[in-house]
Amino acid sequence: MNNDTPIIYLFRRDLRLGDHVGLSEASGLGRPIIPVFILDEIFQNYGAAPQWRLGLALTSFTETLANISSKLTLRRGNSLSVISEIIKETGANEVHWTRAYDPAAISRDKIIKTELELKGLKVKSHQGHLLFEPWTVKTKVGGFYKVYTPYWNSVRDRYIAPELPKVEKLRPPKLWPKSDELLSWGLAFKMNRGADIVFKHTCVGEDKAKDRLQEFISDRVMLYNSSRDFPSKKGTSGLSENLTYGEISIRSCWIAAHESFLKGNEEAEVFLKELVWREFSYHLAYYTPHILDRNWRDGWDKFPWSDSSESSDAWCRGKTGVELVDAAMREMYVTGTMHNRGRMIVASYLTKHLMTHWKVGAGWFSECLIDWDPAANAMGWQWAAGSGPDASPYFRIFNPDSQAERFDKNCEYRIKFLAEVYSDGGQEGIDYFRAIPREWNLTIKDSYPQPSISLADGRAKSLHAYSNK
Ligand SMILES: Cc1cc2nc3c(=O)[nH]c(=O)nc-3n(C[C@H](O)[C@H](O)[C@H](O)COP(=O)(O)OP(=O)(O)OC[C@H]3O[C@@H](n4cnc5c(N)ncnc54)[C@H](O)[C@@H]3O)c2cc1C
């Protein structure tokens, strides 16, 4: 084999140079590397906010590569067809990528591998998206885990290899393949006027992700357990946005928090556990791929959830009349993320009080979240609805008022996001009305609605349906 024959590195949700197992190995071979991102069917189907945020990640990664005299080739279409074209254009004979674990990505990658190998090309996939690959974590009888705590116990003390140094150089090929212009993909199109608002809350790219981790570890992780449940506090890391696009590796997050834990910071262990919830979601998606689009538990298909309705539309728009629910829904629309406590409350309210199918909520989240992740989102929704593994029991119905009393006692979160209710709120509440589609026809001067069902009636209705399941 000629040492000048290029290798294609296919980037997906691993847009970084630091601690990059696959890229380090491929570049270490000393041959030219062609970094490629393909907007395939999977990315084309992304919702508005994730697709727009992907565009920001790609812009940043293009600059990162330019700084080391390399280049991101952007192409759109079926992955296998595009790779085959690039091989023809450049003479590349080897393709590498970081493994993904959701069912759509797995089936795409299997096809690519089989077809390229049939043509005599070398294909290599690498670990990087997860700390613990699903097939390496087994129960004592060789099965997979359906409950989080034993999963955590089985991985918590595992050896984690040190981080790899940042890739500083990628040898360029003699000939770069042709590339699309990122703007021509229109990734911001579906965001409409929300883009400028959400942009203010983003933290894009590898350098900023690293800073975000360092800032969290040097300060907030010490108080993580005691502050992470309060949506008005900056108590969590915010790293989901960066982990989603691979702007930071999960291993970097683990190692930083683990060092803090070893230095005696016990609250860091709670953060490690959260990172492992992400692992667990992919464990489940790998072994039970139906978790993404069907009730995970048997016997739930006849549960009397409704599909979209007037009340679920009000939920999407942050107009249910239940302040904490509406504040959280607006937080998502304005910032592109929602505090975990908010996610649990709004999901419980939709699936229990409003008796609406979790897929309606999961679908709306997949449109609005810049940290949208197929596995974490599905697991979170099925947990809240009761249809998932390790799910919240049916009688656990979050009462948004008592949640507000516990976690937003001084009303700061609600004041921040509900501009028509609290005139002393911040810019975010006003921004909500600037971000939403004009056709919703909502203004800050509208009166705040009454709930379509009282919390007590919603709870009773839901308990009745769940206990008769
Ligand atoms: C209904 C519902 C939907 C959700 N949808 C998503 C989603 O689309 N994308 C997403 O990344 N998370 C999702 N989560 C999980 C969780 O809410 C977010 O990961 C968290 O709020 C992100 O904020 P953070 O980075 O500040 O988290 P931190 O508290 O700082 O936690 C660190 C990291 O741990 C992981 N993590 C934490 N909690 C969970 C969890 N419950 N499940 C899986 N991973 C977790 C995330 O990668 C997170 O970035 C969802 C939860 C629920 C209840």
Side-chain angles (χ1 to χ4, degrees), residues 48-59:
Q51 198 169 76
W52 167 76
R53 178 60 177 80
L54 170 68
L56 300 184
L58 289 170
T59 305

Side-chain angles (χ1 to χ4, degrees), residues 34-105:
I34 304 177
V36 173
F37 180 87
I38 302 171
L39 190 74
D40 60 18
E41 297 85 349
I42 295 178
F43 292 113
Q44 286 174 34
N45 282 331
Y46 267 27
Q51 198 169 76
W52 167 76
R53 178 60 177 80
L54 170 68
L56 300 184
L58 289 170
T59 305
S60 170
F61 192 55
T62 301
E63 283 166 21
T64 303
L65 285 175
N67 288 338
I68 57 164
S69 307
S70 184
K71 193 175 158 186
L72 186 62
T73 295
L74 300 170
R75 299 281 276 262
R76 186 211 291 252
N78 170 271
S79 277
L80 177 61
S81 314
V82 172
I83 298 164
S84 306
E85 283 165 20
I86 298 177
I87 287 169
K88 256 195 214 145
E89 285 168 39
T90 62
N93 67 353
E94 198 166 320
V95 182
H96 291 234
W97 64 75
T98 302
R99 279 191 283 283
Y101 307 88
D102 57 291

